[in-house]
Amino acid sequence: MAYSTRLTMVALLATLACGLTGSPTSRGALRAAALTLESATMGPAGQGSGSPLSASQFVGWRFLLTKRTAISQVGGHLGGVSGNLFAAIVSLSGASALPQGAPFTDAEVVATTVFNPSLPTNDFRVALPVVLNAGAYALVFGSGKYNAAGAGLLPNGQQTNVAPTLQASYITWRQILPGRYQWTAGSVNSVRLVVVGSEIAGAADFNFDNQINGADLAIWRANVGGPATGGSASGDADLDGDVDGADFMQWQRTAVAALAPPPVAPVPEPDASALIVAGPLLALRLRRRLR
Ligand SMILES: [Ca+2]
Ligand SMILES: [Ca+2]
């Protein structure tokens, strides 16, 4: 291997080692991109009226994720009337699409939880950990499913929609004729639903810190050969239920890409006459450095 090539390799390996251990000086050491999406501003707590939530009316809000995101919590301005409610995140086929089911198909429900809403109404959060790819989703609150049997309400007094939310962004599952339920858009407005999470650097960001580095590789190593019981958090980059070489390859591709130097302006090619003059000088310097 030529001396200059060896130098380049040593420099590259040093850069990789630095980046893969998550050194604060490495290019990969970005802070996790925290993300809070909210449909509307928070009005006064303790409101007594709003859109009802029950087994006969679910209220949802459609939101877009532009990057793969680890959701940690959902919530909003909500109050209890009796018992508990469910929160569900539903995958949609597009930003203006409605859930396909009546009310949901199993395939489109990506996460659910049941919680006891605050009383009186207040801004609350409940844990709902799930990793979502970029795309369109709805956060839906309701009852009568997922073992939730209570009732509640979503106030909208003195609240304004937060862009890009419009009235059409809200959806409801409700009775439109006796015994007939369907999804409609835009029948409620200015209710506050919140999604909290952090954007992920890529499929191989197994600890969701928005970096792909040695910490993620350690997670893959600890779980390789086994089932991916924790999904992405187990090192399953391609989400096929196992932790194997394909997941490592995804880590490797993105880790190395994250460490690639930024593009530099092209250096003009020296003309042939300059090379003829410079050639012997360069050869002399290289011989001296190799001694
Ligand atoms: Ca990571
Ligand atoms: Ca896998």
Side-chain angles (χ1 to χ4, degrees):
M1 190 185 290
Y3 181 75
S4 58
T5 311
R6 274 208 311 270
L7 271 183
T8 310
M9 285 297 290
V10 168
L12 181 63
L13 288 172
T15 311
L16 273 169
C18 178
L20 299 187
T21 52
S23 154
T25 57
S26 73
R27 296 182 66 247
L30 304 171
R31 282 171 194 274
L35 184 76
T36 298
L37 301 174
E38 45 190 359
S39 63
T41 57
M42 177 65 193
Q47 294 188 39
S49 64
S51 296
L53 294 169
S54 67
S56 353
Q57 176 165 290
F58 310 163
V59 175
W61 168 56
R62 297 182 283 201
F63 63 94
L64 280 177
L65 296 178
T66 57
K67 291 186 179 169
R68 190 172 157 88
T69 302
I71 304 298
S72 56
Q73 295 178 314
V74 296
H77 185 190
L78 199 143
V81 173
S82 67
N84 53 13
L85 299 173
F86 75 77
I89 295 181
V90 185
S91 170
L92 301 176
S93 59
S96 56
L98 294 167
Q100 306 280 302
F104 308 122
T105 64
D106 289 344
E108 66 192 350
V109 177
V110 293
T112 64
T113 190
V114 173
F115 62 95
N116 283 303
S118 54
L119 186 66
T121 72
N122 212 335
D123 204 23
F124 92 105
R125 304 284 180 271
V126 60
L128 188 54
V130 60
V131 175
L132 302 178
N133 288 324
Y137 298 89
L139 168 61
V140 180
F141 291 123
S143 185
K145 287 184 73 68
Y146 312 118
N147 298 317
L153 64 94
L154 284 161
N156 64 358
Q158 299 177 55
Q159 296 182 170
T160 53
N161 290 333
V162 174
T165 298
L166 304 167
Q167 185 167 350
S169 307
Y170 299 102
I171 58 174
T172 49
W173 170 254
R174 63 193 180 115
Q175 188 168 266
I176 50 149
L177 289 170
R180 186 163 167 222
Y181 287 79
Q182 74 176 42
W183 285 105
T184 57
S187 59
V188 305
N189 197 14
S190 305
V191 292
R192 175 173 165 83
L193 286 80
V194 177
V195 175
V196 181
S198 55
E199 292 179 342
I200 303 174
D205 183 8
F206 303 133
N207 62 354
F208 314 139
D209 65 350
N210 205 30
Q211 309 170 47
I212 295 177
N213 57 24
D216 305 300
L217 181 60
I219 290 170
W220 176 85
R221 265 204 201 108
N223 293 288
V224 63
T229 48
S232 284
S234 301
D236 184 12
D238 57 10
L239 298 176
D240 66 348
D242 62 20
V243 183
D244 61 9
D247 304 306
F248 171 79
M249 293 304 285
Q250 281 218 29
W251 173 87
Q252 188 183 47
R253 271 196 300 275
T254 42
V256 171
L259 290 165
V264 293
V267 178
E269 293 280 340
D271 65 29
S273 59
L275 278 178
I276 291 164
V277 176
L281 278 173
L282 283 174
L284 182 64
R285 280 186 195 157
L286 192 57
R287 272 203 300 277
R288 280 183 185 154
R289 285 169 70 184
L290 285 169
R291 273 178 202 153

